[in-house]
Amino acid sequence: MSTTQTLFDQAGHKNLLLPDFGHGLAVQANQHLIIHGNEGMILDPGGHKVYNRVLGETTGLLKGGKLRYLFLSHQDPDIIAAVNGWLMTTDADAYVSSLWVRFVPHFGLDRLVEHRLHGIPDEGMVLSLAGADLLILPAHFLHSAGNFQVYDPMSKILYSGDLGASLGMDYDVVPDFDAHLQYMEGFHKRYMTSKIVLRAWVNMVRNLDIEIIAPQHGAMFKGADMSKRFIDWCESLECGVDLLEGGFKLPRRT
Ligand code: FE
């Protein structure tokens, strides 16, 4: 049984990776919690299967503090399916791309909490967590059309959502970048949109001081050097529409 991992803990600011509560067919997903002072932000809280345990763990870690924000990097079910439960049981405000605000209620959003689902403008924004600024960075088409990441300047952690995701290995920190490629290459080539978009993202994040890149699935890139290896890899990756040579063909009838 995994336990909560502390990624950063200084001056009343904590970055925590919750235990892995997923199982079965459901894709493995990481739930991260940022606490500053007496307020917290949960990132990509997940679906119904993990909801009870993620909520319980979060409440315990907040130690009487308040869950201030639910950050939703995009609209996929592994991120958003349990949003109604979170809004009904906490006072948090949820933030998702303004593109998805009208779609999320199809997961079942109670009228009482609808006004606490907020749209993030395309250019991103800054959210204040008890006075600590968190940067909500645009990362559209990586992979969703309305897609955001979070950079925390205090811990220097970039929460990269599906970018950097890996599946199928048994470690949670990347030990060897080249050996790790087999677990993330296929996913990135199929889910990420194009090298033009990746380069736009690379140009933005090269301006950040990064100690950890923490994706929503799989292992983290720890340390400035390992984080740079990942960013460099993104800069030259062909993916999505870059690989669509030959276009689509009709399926064959048997
Ligand atoms: Fe996704």
Side-chain angles (χ1 to χ4, degrees), residues 63-139:
K63 295 183 179 132
K66 171 187 173 179
L67 189 67
R68 179 75 187 84
Y69 300 117
L70 293 171
F71 170 76
L72 309 165
S73 62
H74 60 295
Q75 84 292 6
D76 277 346
D78 54 324
I79 287 161
I80 222 159
V83 68
N84 190 56
W86 283 93
L87 288 172
M88 292 291 276
T89 49
T90 72
D91 295 324
D93 283 297
Y95 282 82
V96 70
S97 163
S98 55
L99 269 66
W100 303 128
V101 168
R102 302 285 309 280
F103 293 79
V104 173
H106 280 273
F107 279 111
L109 203 55
D110 199 282
R111 274 212 190 137
L112 289 169
V113 300
E114 264 181 4
H115 65 285
R116 286 194 279 122
L117 177 67
H118 306 279
I120 307 169
D122 261 357
E123 64 272 23
M125 65 193 295
V126 177
L127 287 174
S128 170
L129 187 66
D133 282 348
L134 298 171
L135 275 58
I136 312 299
L137 307 176

Side-chain angles (χ1 to χ4, degrees), residues 222-243:
K222 260 194 178 172
D225 290 344
M226 194 60 96
S227 299
K228 188 176 174 304
R229 287 280 327 256
F230 175 69
I231 293 168
D232 289 346
W233 179 73
C234 286
E235 190 167 31
S236 58
L237 184 71
E238 300 219 314
C239 60
V241 295
D242 304 324
L243 305 173

Side-chain angles (χ1 to χ4, degrees), residues 197-218:
V197 183
L198 277 175
R199 282 184 194 160
W201 176 83
V202 166
N203 288 336
M204 173 182 67
V205 300
R206 284 232 193 267
N207 298 312
L208 298 172
D209 187 3
I210 298 172
E211 273 301 323
I212 296 177
I213 295 179
Q216 196 224 341
H217 308 283

